[in-house]
Amino acid sequence: MDYPQADIGVFGGSGLYSLLESPVEVTVHTPYGDPSAPITYGEIGGRVVAFMPRHGTSHTIPPHMINYRANVYAMKQMGVSRIIGPNACGSLQAHVKPGDFVVCDQFVDRTKGRKDTFYDGPQTTHVSSADPYCPTMRQVAVENARELGISVHDGGTVVVIQGPRFSTRAESRWFASQGWEVINMTQYPESYLARELEICYCNISLITDYDAGTAGATPVTNDEVVRVFAENTEKIKSLLYAMIPALPEERPCLCATALEGAVF
């Protein structure tokens, strides 16, 4: 089936459902099952943008039940070559404060049992994930965040936990002791699956709370996460509206040729 084509994809969470003005909705079918929701698409700054809420239109899909392969493949079918993935995250370090943005450059996977590759055989494919986030997109995100006066951290490691439970204090202290800055439940395998399809991917972590093991932190609650995320929704939208038109047409980055030399 031929689908409408878009330039840039956005996976969003709570509060970003109204990202596009006058959006058109399309239901996309994939070989990996149904994605979380229909894709809506429209223009931002002259670029066609495809948006999908990764948790479903009514936030009914928990992190460990998201069909990440279907979501990313649906974006590929829409012609998307770049994906922006804003999400709510906890902080593991005192200097990374609630309300800050972190444009991560590394992840650590602590999930289990998730379908995390498109290459289950018979073709053996090993795609490098040494530098999992697009450097071009990261630079554009950081520069535009600073121009907007948003408190942003250039680089950081996100540790991705299985969910839906939050960390124990012991787990959180362990993550923090490694020097990792951010904790989240959805960055893996979403970001890596994009790399397998040679799609550029940029994470924007919105810090909503301090994780349980951070010095002086009170245990995180879902209500607090939702409250802080909602308070900062307009900042995320402003960044996306500034960042998307600023992305170059060309893709000289490593993401665009990720499969070269990866197939045995």
Side-chain angles (χ1 to χ4, degrees):
M1 179 176 178
D2 293 329
Y3 294 104
Q5 297 296 282
D7 304 313
I8 296 161
V10 177
F11 285 125
S14 302
L16 285 179
Y17 303 123
S18 60
L19 175 68
L20 300 169
E21 295 182 6
S22 303
V24 179
E25 184 176 288
V26 59
T27 299
V28 179
H29 302 284
T30 85
Y32 303 96
D34 293 330
S36 295
I39 289 178
T40 56
Y41 65 97
E43 283 197 12
I44 294 178
R47 312 291 286 273
V48 182
V49 176
F51 173 77
M52 183 192 296
R54 62 168 69 86
H55 293 284
T57 53
S58 299
H59 206 107
T60 55
I61 308 172
H64 67 297
M65 295 300 291
I66 293 172
N67 189 342
Y68 293 97
R69 291 197 299 182
N71 287 358
V72 176
Y73 201 83
M75 289 291 189
K76 182 72 171 181
Q77 289 178 292
M78 290 284 291
V80 164
S81 60
R82 289 188 172 105
I83 292 174
I84 305 171
N87 49 20
C89 298
S91 169
L92 295 166
Q93 306 295 337
H95 70 278
V96 180
K97 299 176 175 61
D100 289 0
F101 286 11
V102 182
V103 182
C104 293
D105 60 346
Q106 289 289 312
F107 67 70
V108 173
D109 171 31
R110 294 288 300 168
T111 66
K112 55 185 180 292
R114 297 185 180 187
K115 298 289 187 180
D116 61 355
T117 182
F118 293 108
Y119 298 104
D120 286 327
Q123 184 182 68
T124 302
T125 306
H126 300 284
V127 176
S128 173
S129 57
D131 297 295
Y133 296 108
C134 177
T136 302
M137 295 184 72
R138 287 193 61 258
Q139 181 179 358
V140 172
V142 170
E143 289 176 352
N144 279 273
R146 287 174 175 164
E147 289 176 4
L148 290 167
I150 295 170
S151 177
V152 61
H153 300 264
D154 183 358
T157 296
V158 54
V159 56
V160 190
I161 61 173
Q162 175 70 1
R165 72 170 177 86
F166 291 122
S167 301
T168 65
R169 292 187 191 276
E171 289 169 329
S172 184
R173 286 194 296 267
W174 173 42
F175 299 151
S177 73
Q178 304 306 303
W180 304 332
E181 290 84 4
V182 177
I183 186 166
N184 173 258
M185 298 178 187
T186 60
Q187 269 299 284
Y188 189 85
E190 184 177 281
S191 56
Y192 174 69
L193 289 169
R195 178 62 58 86
E196 282 199 339
L197 295 181
E198 297 186 327
I199 298 173
C200 299
Y201 188 101
C202 179
N203 159 261
I204 302 174
S205 294
L206 167 59
I207 304 304
T208 58
D209 60 275
Y210 285 115
D211 206 48
T214 308
T218 57
V220 61
T221 65
N222 189 65
D223 286 347
E224 181 68 5
V225 169
V226 172
R227 183 187 69 79
V228 178
F229 195 91
E231 287 178 356
N232 289 277
T233 294
E234 290 308 312
K235 288 200 300 186
I236 298 173
K237 289 182 179 179
S238 295
L239 178 54
L240 292 174
Y241 269 75
M243 177 184 174
I244 286 170
L247 290 168
E249 295 287 344
E250 301 77 18
R251 292 200 302 146
C253 52
L254 50 88
C255 325
T257 56
L259 292 176
E260 289 186 6
V263 181
F264 278 73

